[in-house]
Amino acid sequence: MLPLTEQHTRTPQKRFNLAENYALLNTNNHSSDEYIPIDEMKPHQDIMQMFRDAKQNNTYLKVQAPMVRYSKLAFRLLCLEYNCDVVYTPMMMADSFSKSQKARDSDFATHVHDKPLVVQFAANNPTDFSLACQYIAPFCDGIDINCGCPQPYVMKENLGAALVTQPQKIFDMVHEANNKFISGTFRPIGVKIRIHPDDDSLEFRKTIDLARQIEKAGASWVTVHGRTHKQRTKNTKVNPDGPKIVKQAYRSLSCIMETFFH
């Protein structure tokens, strides 16, 4: 069971059951044994339509980025209270999430007001990622693969930014997950990347080629961080040209978000 924490604990506690894709609601209107379909409790929101509407209106969406240990449920609800448009979970490991109920209960909690929500996974194979997507789809509005984390312990496991030089693996994960969604539970998939480490020119050809592979796989958006994995935040200023050039090259993607950290 997933704890569904109320903001001030003044109303009865609610829980989402991840295994059965149903929500147990304890209120005056329902008995404690009554299950309510998750879509009735937490209706799905179309994130991509939100981006299209923002573009049409010449404005933008405020997106709370995924942050390790910080972007848990309480933080997400706080960001939404201060008019954030889309929120992200921290990065979760798709292998443990797909195989262990204990891991799912430990890593993820949500709430009826926790939306629009994007869940981010670290993954390096289609089986783990597609199964994790199937588990989480009823409880979120979008799913993201983190192929941009530069932490050594992550890259050592062939996760995060280690995948920037392995476009076929990213393609296979996105393609497999899109094909395995259960009818009625499809969620758009995005991919977070960094600048390709071999892009030493102003043309960013390999980063553009990577985005092309991700687009062909069926991803709905790409998030581009303007550094390579060797360029750590504290030591290197972001290169804004990389994300901009990728964005200009791939206007066919529904949305490309640019991440600028100074």
Side-chain angles (χ1 to χ4, degrees):
M1 298 286 284
L2 297 177
L4 205 65
T5 309
E6 289 293 342
Q7 197 164 358
H8 303 294
T9 65
R10 293 179 181 173
T11 56
Q13 188 183 46
K14 303 172 186 176
R15 294 175 181 269
F16 280 174
N17 188 310
L18 187 60
E20 299 183 17
N21 294 344
Y22 281 90
L24 174 61
L25 174 62
N26 295 317
T27 68
N28 294 330
N29 296 324
H30 300 277
S31 70
S32 59
D33 296 326
E34 184 175 359
Y35 281 88
I36 301 173
I38 184 65
D39 287 342
E40 293 182 18
M41 283 285 291
K42 191 182 179 188
H44 168 60
Q45 293 192 247
D46 190 340
I47 291 178
M48 304 319 299
Q49 186 60 50
M50 292 172 62
F51 278 108
R52 288 190 288 269
D53 290 344
K55 183 177 181 180
Q56 184 175 356
N57 295 328
N58 197 29
T59 184
Y60 57 88
L61 298 181
K62 298 180 286 294
V63 180
Q64 167 253 304
M67 294 175 287
V68 175
R69 295 184 298 276
Y70 282 92
S71 50
K72 298 279 191 173
L73 175 59
F75 182 79
R76 298 196 300 268
L77 292 177
L78 183 64
C79 290
L80 290 165
E81 185 175 341
Y82 282 88
N83 299 319
C84 196
D85 296 305
V86 179
V87 293
Y88 272 70
T89 68
M91 179 184 73
M92 299 183 288
M93 298 298 175
D95 58 349
S96 57
F97 194 91
S98 63
K99 297 169 184 174
S100 168
Q101 181 66 42
K102 183 177 179 180
R104 292 191 287 273
D105 290 345
S106 174
D107 289 346
F108 180 75
T110 191
H111 184 278
V112 290
H113 299 308
D114 185 27
K115 60 183 181 180
L117 174 65
V118 177
V119 172
Q120 187 182 77
F121 287 113
N124 59 16
N125 70 82
T127 301
D128 288 345
F129 180 63
S130 62
L131 185 55
C133 289
Q134 291 173 59
Y135 271 115
I136 204 65
F139 302 92
C140 69
D141 304 290
I143 300 168
D144 193 59
I145 311 177
N146 188 344
C147 300
C149 181
Q151 293 294 337
Y153 77 92
V154 174
M155 296 188 64
K156 184 179 179 180
E157 299 297 325
N158 202 30
L159 297 164
L163 296 173
V164 168
T165 58
Q166 303 174 65
Q168 188 61 47
K169 279 198 172 185
I170 302 176
F171 178 97
D172 291 343
M173 287 191 290
V174 175
H175 187 264
E176 177 84 359
N178 276 331
N179 287 335
K180 288 292 180 67
F181 278 118
I182 299 171
S183 178
T185 64
F186 172 82
R187 296 294 181 265
I189 295 175
V191 181
K192 163 72 178 292
I193 64 173
R194 283 183 172 241
I195 299 298
H196 195 286
D198 295 336
D199 271 339
D200 54 2
S201 68
L202 296 178
E203 296 179 349
F204 301 98
R205 291 189 181 277
K206 290 193 174 182
T207 307
I208 291 173
D209 287 343
L210 175 59
R212 178 181 292 116
Q213 285 284 86
I214 293 170
E215 177 191 33
K216 288 181 179 178
S220 296
W221 76 89
V222 176
T223 307
V224 184
H225 184 118
R227 294 185 181 91
T228 69
H229 73 270
K230 297 178 180 179
Q231 299 171 324
R232 305 302 293 270
T233 302
K234 294 181 179 179
N235 302 324
T236 310
K237 289 186 177 180
V238 71
N239 183 346
D241 292 332
K244 287 181 179 178
I245 289 174
V246 174
K247 183 176 181 179
Q248 291 168 0
Y250 286 95
R251 296 191 180 279
S252 58
L253 276 171
S254 298
C255 171
I256 295 185
M257 295 186 288
E258 306 169 9
T259 54
F260 295 162
F261 295 106
H262 297 278

